[in-house]
Amino acid sequence: MSDPTVADTRRLNSKPQDLTDAYGPPSNFLEMDVYDPQTVGVGRNRFTTYEVRMRTNLPIFKLKDSTVRRRYSDFEWLKNELERDSKIVVPPLPGKALKRQLPFRGDEGIFEDAFIEERRVGLEQFINRIAGHPLAQNERCLHMFLQDESIDRNYVPGKV
Amino acid sequence: MSFFSFGQSAEIDVVLTDAETRKKAEHKTEDGKKDKYFLFYDGETVAGKVNVTLKNPGKRLEHQGIKIEFVGQIELYYDRGNHHEFVSLVKDLARPGELTQSQTFDFEFTHVEKPYESYTGQNVKLRYFLRATVSRRLNDISKEMDIVVHTLSTYPELNSSIKMEVGIEDCLHIEFEYNKSKYHLKDVIVGKIYFLLVRIKIKHMEIDIIKRETTGTGPSVYHENDTIAKYEIMDGAPVRGESIPIRLFLAGYEMTPTMRDINKKFSVRYYLNLVLIDEEERRYFKQQEITLWRKGDVVRKSMSSQATIGAQRFEGSKSSVSSMLDLKCRA
């Protein structure tokens, strides 16, 4: 007979776990990659695009595997949309690098390999933090950014 | 303090009758140090002697009366001038006159009501003390002796478990269960977290004990939160169907019993905060109040308490499904 002065610390009863749940793929699979920077255009009208690939099994995303090409200003657009419409604290983007866009630089400015790589890493960190946020996943702008061919800046903001 | 080097002065000290046998308890002072004081319970008699020792033997001490008071008061730090006395008893020991030699006076406060527990907090203090005073024309001589009061409870008749399903729609659904809603200060929190849906990448999970001290009333209510404990209960990513056990021993933490609306001046309440942290450092949390009570040291081997423990383990407890959006997320 258990002593009433000593607390009973036995575990509470729980349901046994289904084996397909235990060993199956988790329902939170989400992989984001930002890679393959390509500089397009000539002279003053050059800009760099990055490939943004998402692989997921989250039901909220229409496509389970999507690839799009985006440039820095597209990321800025996404950040602004989320800051305005959602209640989340949006993580920072890598810098705008305005100084690098001034003329008479000794190097390639914003088309320097090292700078592009630094920016790619920052953009990857940014999109990883956003795409996995439960509240951001409800925003149309995020789905358009990740899975639509091109961003329609005249879209109607809203929730999915 | 007497500013005059001539004339007579005296020292007072208060000695309890049962000073040898009475237990002492540790209690935090306002500046954080711990001191030991005599421990009393509600209804106990406070008795002893007041020794008045003349500093200059041979000289007389004129006085306007000697008395001893037993006081229980609440002090709000932002309103130091006003002490709220909820217990105030006086015994006159000597009428106005003079003392020609050191003297001892007996006193007894019989079966004194001490309705609340002694408490020293961030913004409020509740204390009990004896104050012996020799009244004089210019300045009184007085001495205070603090005591500590503990309020005891017995095993509650009704002590249902806390069981709730919470989550964020389509992202994270969990069912948490704590074996009781009322715990004594040396109790163990036994519980479990059951994952129904996991669409986020959880890194780890912890349970925190938060103490909230509330002072003030109406529009100027002030809450002071203090995290008493942080206890990691899971490291790694769970999947659907997993059950994580909780076993948290309360005896290791410095806590007081739950104090609700004490003399309408303050409250001290405790909350369990279940926190899940994902890989991007986002925090998902659910707070739940628990009631803490102080158990007496005397062992109570009653049939009712054994039955209570048995019932908690094997009986199906009521589970309430609260709103799915009850789980808060903070990035």
Side-chain angles (χ1 to χ4, degrees):
Chain A
M1 187 57 100
S2 63
D3 181 354
T5 58
V6 176
D8 191 352
T9 59
R10 286 175 297 170
R11 290 191 182 183
L12 300 183
N13 299 326
S14 56
K15 297 183 267 257
Q17 188 182 23
D18 189 79
L19 287 181
T20 51
D21 284 336
Y23 294 104
S27 344
N28 58 7
F29 178 69
L30 174 68
E31 264 178 31
M32 303 273 342
D33 292 301
V34 175
Y35 58 101
D36 189 29
Q38 300 286 351
T39 302
V40 296
V42 284
R44 292 279 213 85
N45 300 322
R46 283 180 295 171
F47 60 92
T48 308
T49 62
Y50 305 81
E51 192 152 297
V52 179
R53 183 174 183 191
M54 179 172 77
R55 279 168 289 191
T56 184
N57 66 358
L58 297 179
I60 199 166
F61 291 107
K62 261 210 318 254
L63 302 172
K64 300 304 164 217
D65 195 340
S66 65
T67 307
V68 292
R69 280 229 151 244
R70 296 283 181 255
R71 56 185 292 188
Y72 181 85
S73 54
D74 293 334
F75 284 83
E76 272 188 314
W77 169 87
L78 176 64
K79 179 169 196 280
N80 292 331
E81 293 297 299
L82 290 172
E83 274 176 343
R84 188 194 65 221
D85 290 340
S86 79
K87 286 184 252 159
I88 68 181
V89 175
V90 184
L93 275 172
K96 270 189 81 81
L98 288 167
K99 271 211 219 135
R100 282 182 174 267
Q101 292 178 49
L102 293 173
F104 308 121
R105 282 185 68 98
D107 59 19
E108 293 281 305
I110 56 168
F111 302 107
E112 269 288 307
D113 284 339
F115 169 74
I116 286 179
E117 175 56 23
E118 198 187 296
R119 187 173 259 197
R120 184 200 67 78
V121 169
L123 292 175
E124 195 172 66
Q125 282 175 355
F126 171 82
I127 199 63
N128 264 289
R129 284 177 65 182
I130 285 292
H133 197 308
L135 297 177
Q137 285 168 1
N138 290 332
E139 298 293 330
R140 281 220 55 225
C141 55
L142 180 70
H143 290 258
M144 188 159 70
F145 178 93
L146 289 173
Q147 307 206 310
D148 286 3
E149 179 81 37
S150 56
I151 294 175
D152 174 13
R153 303 224 170 181
N154 298 318
Y155 85 121
V156 176
K159 306 270 185 271
V160 164
Chain B
M1 269 270 279
S2 172
F3 292 106
F4 300 93
S5 51
F6 50 90
Q8 178 61 289
S9 186
E11 261 173 25
I12 321 182
D13 64 279
V14 178
V15 181
L16 297 178
T17 310
D18 52 9
E20 298 289 303
T21 51
R22 183 165 288 277
K23 278 215 185 100
K24 281 192 166 186
E26 263 189 15
H27 193 78
K28 210 171 42 151
T29 58
E30 216 177 301
D31 46 10
K33 283 192 309 210
K34 286 233 211 135
D35 259 330
K36 285 191 161 207
Y37 302 94
F38 284 110
L39 176 63
F40 282 86
Y41 299 102
D42 188 16
E44 281 193 299
T45 293
V46 185
K49 297 181 193 301
V50 177
N51 299 319
V52 183
T53 314
L54 299 182
K55 285 223 181 108
N56 304 316
K59 278 217 179 117
R60 292 183 315 222
L61 178 72
E62 277 183 30
H63 65 85
Q64 318 305 119
I66 305 179
K67 67 178 182 212
I68 182 156
E69 299 166 275
F70 180 85
V71 179
Q73 73 183 25
I74 296 173
E75 227 176 272
L76 292 160
Y77 295 172
Y78 57 77
D79 189 20
R80 295 271 192 180
N82 292 326
H83 294 165
H84 305 275
E85 291 184 359
F86 55 88
V87 172
S88 183
L89 306 169
V90 186
K91 291 259 188 265
D92 284 317
L93 301 174
R95 279 195 308 229
E98 58 185 37
L99 290 179
T100 49
Q101 55 185 355
S102 302
Q103 207 169 333
T104 295
F105 303 90
D106 289 324
F107 70 89
E108 181 177 300
F109 294 102
T110 323
H111 299 316
V112 185
E113 220 184 275
K114 305 175 205 72
Y116 311 119
E117 172 146 330
S118 297
Y119 176 73
T120 302
Q122 301 270 62
N123 292 309
V124 62
K125 182 154 75 159
L126 189 154
R127 59 187 271 246
Y128 294 85
F129 56 95
L130 286 161
R131 178 168 54 210
T133 310
V134 175
S135 303
R136 297 200 297 175
R137 253 186 335 231
L138 287 168
N139 52 346
D140 296 344
I141 310 169
S142 77
K143 183 75 185 290
E144 280 183 7
M145 186 181 105
D146 272 57
I147 62 159
V148 153
V149 171
H150 284 172
T151 50
L152 300 178
S153 305
T154 51
Y155 278 98
E157 284 295 314
L158 214 60
N159 199 353
S160 53
S161 65
I162 301 170
K163 194 168 177 179
M164 246 188 247
E165 204 179 295
V166 293
I168 295 178
E169 201 68 41
D170 291 334
C171 280
L172 175 67
H173 291 182
I174 60 169
E175 185 191 75
F176 69 88
E177 186 179 344
Y178 306 129
N179 63 331
K180 304 182 200 178
S181 36
K182 301 174 190 156
Y183 292 94
H184 62 81
L185 297 179
K186 308 246 185 299
D187 215 332
V188 187
I189 298 178
V190 176
K192 71 175 208 285
I193 310 296
Y194 180 75
F195 288 90
L196 294 152
L197 180 71
V198 189
R199 294 214 178 114
I200 56 172
K201 293 183 186 162
I202 297 174
K203 198 166 59 165
H204 65 97
M205 177 165 64
E206 67 183 41
I207 193 158
D208 302 341
I209 302 178
I210 298 182
K211 170 180 153 188
R212 181 174 301 157
E213 181 191 284
T214 304
T215 45
T217 49
S220 58
V221 170
Y222 186 70
H223 299 293
E224 189 82 49
N225 291 329
D226 187 22
T227 304
I228 304 270
K230 268 182 196 253
Y231 191 68
E232 186 175 276
I233 55 175
M234 177 187 82
D235 185 17
V239 291
R240 177 170 59 192
E242 270 191 80
S243 207
I244 303 298
I246 299 170
R247 188 182 295 145
L248 181 52
F249 289 83
L250 297 178
Y253 304 109
E254 266 181 41
M255 297 186 297
T256 69
T258 294
M259 301 171 82
R260 287 202 175 89
D261 207 24
I262 300 300
N263 206 229
K264 299 205 199 330
K265 292 275 174 291
F266 71 96
S267 295
V268 181
R269 302 167 90 132
Y270 291 87
Y271 301 83
L272 287 181
N273 200 26
L274 182 71
V275 187
L276 295 101
I277 297 117
D278 73 14
E279 297 212 331
E280 298 294 342
E281 304 298 324
R282 285 179 284 260
R283 302 165 71 86
Y284 307 77
F285 61 95
K286 174 68 184 150
Q287 215 173 77
Q288 191 64 37
E289 184 175 3
I290 52 167
T291 302
L292 295 183
W293 55 278
R294 186 183 290 280
K295 189 160 72 108
D297 286 333
V298 177
V299 165
R300 288 164 193 271
K301 283 198 169 77
S302 66
M303 280 308 291
S304 63
S305 63
Q306 274 182 298
T308 311
I309 290 181
Q312 277 153 24
R313 181 137 311 279
F314 301 111
E315 198 178 57
S317 47
K318 283 189 296 224
S319 106
S320 77
V321 178
S322 71
S323 135
M324 272 310 176
L325 295 172
D326 220 8
L327 197 66
K328 300 214 182 0
C329 170
R330 191 176 280 155

